[in-house]
Amino acid sequence: MRDEIKALQEERVQIYEDYYNNIIPKRIPVRLTVPNRLIAERMGLDLVKYGFDQRVLDPGKRELAAMLYSDTNPFSGAGGTIIGRSPGVYELLNSQAFVMADTGFMQHPEVIGMLAEDYPDFIKDPIAVMFERIIPRHYKTFALNSVASTNFFMMALSLLRSYSADSAPMQAELMDEYGYYPGAPGGSSAGSVAPFDFLADLLRSFSEISKDVRRHPALLKDACDALIPYMFNWGMPAAPNPRGAVGVPLHMPTYMRAKDFSELWLPSFQKMLEQWAARGVRASLFCEHDWTHLLDAIQDMPAGTDLRFEYGDYRNMKEKTGKKFMLSGMFPLVMVGRSTKQEMLDKAKEMLDVLMPGGGYIFFFDKGPLTLADINLDNYQALGEFIRDYAVYDNAGETFGHKLNEENYTIDTAIETLPKSPYLYDWDTFSANYPLVPDSSAPLFKRLQKESLDNILQMLR
């Protein structure tokens, strides 16, 4: 049995290894996702309390793992960063930006952390404005004196690590028992945000940035440019690999006119994409809503970029993006919850027959399930098994598409270099003040600075 599990895992690794090296794989991998909320509902748990103790979900994960076929681990841990949305973390920080509803969901009310008059100072030093104005507005704990706020922040980080540690043993156990694809090599994946979206999410808010597009376009563009080094470094993996990627959800584009998208949203993000590509890093973009009117505008994104579309005509998406980019998404999750099994499987076959030929496609949904009402588990089980058995290539081993950075983008260290700020650690200043610290310690201190800054940025997305 162990040999069979090992062979299955090796097959799964080979499928991803082939795909991300532009080789048509044996078959399309099955990626099912089962969120913690759904597991808690199915187990009849208190939908508020389960978020404070990840271990109570272990029996439910085990039961569903035995039921569902997936090549990847369908269960998430607690999340190793602030973005895990663990409720206790936000409550320790007295968050105004993320609050827990009576249902147990973490809600994101529209909040304004950055005022229009903050733009000039933000452009000069984004980090200073984040530390001095934006974070204290969103997280009232930071309005306390510095010692008290530091204490609560350290407690929040410790709690987050505790949540992650609680879920880790079951994740490892299921990985070993079912031979799930272990993921990209360590250090080859990360996450980031497009500069415009970062401004829109928790800094200016949706309504205010929509006004800025009309009233302050020059300031908005300069602010996006000021964010490039931070957003680039946030997403830059330590050890790039073709199977790894920097994941970026794209929020604002579909609410914008194509002209505003091309002039204000895209330029700063395009620079980041090209710089990542120059470093051998693939961007994996979740294109939220319907991008049909923007497909022409994104044709200059680096070859090999992974595009997951939420909505749109999949035939048109294939024609417009399927040759240069990697493609996924668009299967309507609603069919898993509300259609008959045969209707759902017929739709899956219809899409696979269009999107599979020529390679460069991985089956996935328009959105992930959130609650038990979103999916019929019998349908979900049938769909996973159908994809496994039907989405098989008869021309495996052939090459497809365009490889990452075939454009040969050149490295621009100016994009990668963080500007000086009194709020950022600087090795040169530190070593001058403490000359006994050996130069060999520089990589460690720089890594710690990146981890610290990443956590701060996570609080604002």
Side-chain angles (χ1 to χ4, degrees):
M1 185 64 178
R2 289 302 311 159
D3 289 342
E4 293 176 5
I5 295 297
K6 182 180 178 181
L8 178 58
Q9 188 171 64
E10 289 174 350
E11 174 187 298
R12 288 164 167 166
V13 170
Q14 189 63 54
I15 286 171
Y16 279 94
E17 182 73 23
D18 286 346
Y19 180 78
Y20 285 113
N21 283 282
N22 297 87
I23 298 170
I24 292 178
K26 173 182 178 181
R27 60 178 175 83
I28 286 179
V30 179
R31 296 188 296 171
L32 300 186
T33 61
V34 182
N36 289 343
R37 165 79 179 212
L38 189 153
I39 301 169
E41 282 188 89
R42 190 166 185 267
M43 295 176 68
L45 301 177
D46 185 302
L47 296 179
V48 173
K49 294 180 180 178
Y50 88 88
F52 293 85
D53 183 4
Q54 300 295 314
R55 293 167 297 185
V56 299
L57 299 175
D58 288 355
K61 290 181 179 180
R62 175 167 293 286
E63 185 178 351
L64 286 169
M67 175 183 179
L68 302 172
Y69 181 87
S70 180
D71 290 311
T72 58
N73 189 337
F75 312 108
S76 63
T81 63
I82 292 287
I83 201 63
R85 305 291 186 234
S86 300
V89 173
Y90 287 96
E91 290 169 352
L92 276 170
L93 299 178
N94 196 359
S95 172
Q96 313 300 299
F98 294 97
V99 295
M100 187 166 63
D102 293 341
T103 60
F105 279 113
M106 294 300 293
Q107 303 283 2
H108 170 31
E110 184 170 57
V111 290
I112 301 172
M114 174 178 156
L115 307 180
E117 53 262 37
D118 292 329
Y119 264 118
D121 289 337
F122 185 88
I123 292 165
K124 293 177 184 176
D125 189 341
I127 293 299
V129 175
M130 289 182 208
F131 273 66
E132 294 173 2
R133 307 176 199 178
I134 300 171
I135 289 176
R137 288 168 183 161
H138 284 329
Y139 298 94
K140 297 302 183 183
T141 290
F142 289 93
L144 303 173
N145 71 67
S146 60
V147 175
S149 60
T150 300
N151 176 50
F152 282 109
F153 185 57
M154 295 305 296
M155 286 181 64
L157 289 179
S158 296
L159 180 61
L160 192 63
R161 295 188 186 103
S162 175
Y163 284 156
S164 186
D166 285 346
S167 62
M170 178 55 65
Q171 295 291 91
E173 191 174 323
L174 293 176
M175 182 73 69
D176 182 66
E177 186 170 342
Y178 290 92
Y180 292 129
Y181 171 61
S188 65
S189 296
S192 188
V193 182
F196 190 108
D197 287 350
F198 188 79
L199 284 166
D201 286 348
L202 293 187
L203 275 62
R204 291 294 289 137
S205 81
F206 178 86
S207 59
E208 290 301 307
I209 204 163
S210 298
K211 296 175 186 176
D212 294 343
V213 169
R214 302 188 302 274
R215 298 176 182 176
H216 311 294
L219 288 173
L220 179 52
K221 193 172 188 304
D222 288 346
C224 287
D225 288 342
L227 281 170
I228 290 174
Y230 303 99
M231 300 298 104
F232 169 82
N233 280 283
W234 188 8
M236 182 63 201
N241 181 279
R243 281 193 279 143
V246 48
V248 188
L250 307 182
H251 303 312
M252 289 297 298
T254 54
Y255 298 103
M256 303 175 70
R257 297 182 305 167
K259 178 178 183 294
D260 294 330
F261 170 79
S262 296
E263 293 180 359
L264 298 176
W265 191 97
L266 185 57
S268 55
F269 189 54
Q270 180 75 18
K271 291 177 183 177
M272 290 167 52
L273 291 175
E274 293 177 1
Q275 188 72 356
W276 281 326
R279 291 291 188 182
V281 176
R282 188 188 316 279
S284 180
L285 312 180
F286 177 33
C287 303
E288 296 182 7
H289 304 296
D290 187 350
W291 279 60
T292 299
H293 73 295
L294 300 174
L295 293 182
D296 290 336
I298 66 173
Q299 293 303 315
D300 288 334
M301 286 184 176
T305 297
D306 189 357
L307 302 177
R308 176 189 163 196
F309 290 108
E310 187 171 10
Y311 304 128
D313 180 346
Y314 59 88
R315 293 179 180 84
N316 184 43
M317 298 299 190
K318 173 75 171 179
E319 180 181 347
K320 288 272 193 177
T321 67
K323 293 182 177 64
K324 182 176 182 180
F325 308 114
M326 294 178 165
L327 183 63
S328 68
M330 296 179 289
F331 186 83
L333 182 73
V334 66
M335 296 199 74
V336 183
R338 300 182 185 177
S339 299
T340 67
K341 184 180 298 184
Q342 194 57 52
E343 288 171 338
M344 175 193 68
L345 296 181
D346 287 345
K347 183 66 174 179
K349 180 179 182 301
E350 174 189 309
M351 291 185 66
L352 288 167
D353 287 347
V354 171
L355 295 167
M356 278 185 65
Y361 165 72
I362 289 184
F363 182 95
F364 205 57
F365 304 91
D366 54 1
K367 57 177 62 66
L370 289 176
T371 71
L372 193 57
D374 290 335
I375 57 173
N376 176 316
L377 281 169
D378 289 336
N379 279 1
Y380 215 34
Q381 178 182 23
L383 182 60
E385 294 170 356
F386 173 77
I387 298 166
R388 176 196 63 196
D389 298 336
Y390 182 78
V392 177
Y393 281 102
D394 58 11
N395 61 335
E398 295 182 5
T399 59
F400 71 85
H402 297 259
K403 291 191 175 184
L404 181 66
N405 198 30
E406 67 173 28
E407 300 93 341
N408 293 316
Y409 295 113
T410 57
I411 293 171
D412 181 355
T413 55
I415 288 175
E416 302 183 356
T417 304
L418 292 178
K420 299 286 186 181
S421 171
Y423 291 96
L424 289 180
Y425 167 85
D426 178 71
W427 167 255
D428 292 335
T429 302
F430 179 80
S431 59
N433 290 334
Y434 301 96
L436 295 181
V437 178
D439 290 343
S440 59
S441 297
L444 170 63
F445 282 93
K446 290 177 181 179
R447 176 176 62 80
L448 293 174
Q449 168 62 90
K450 175 172 170 50
E451 291 175 0
S452 176
L453 182 57
D454 287 354
N455 276 311
I456 295 296
L457 296 175
Q458 289 278 19
M459 294 170 63
L460 296 174
R461 64 167 291 189

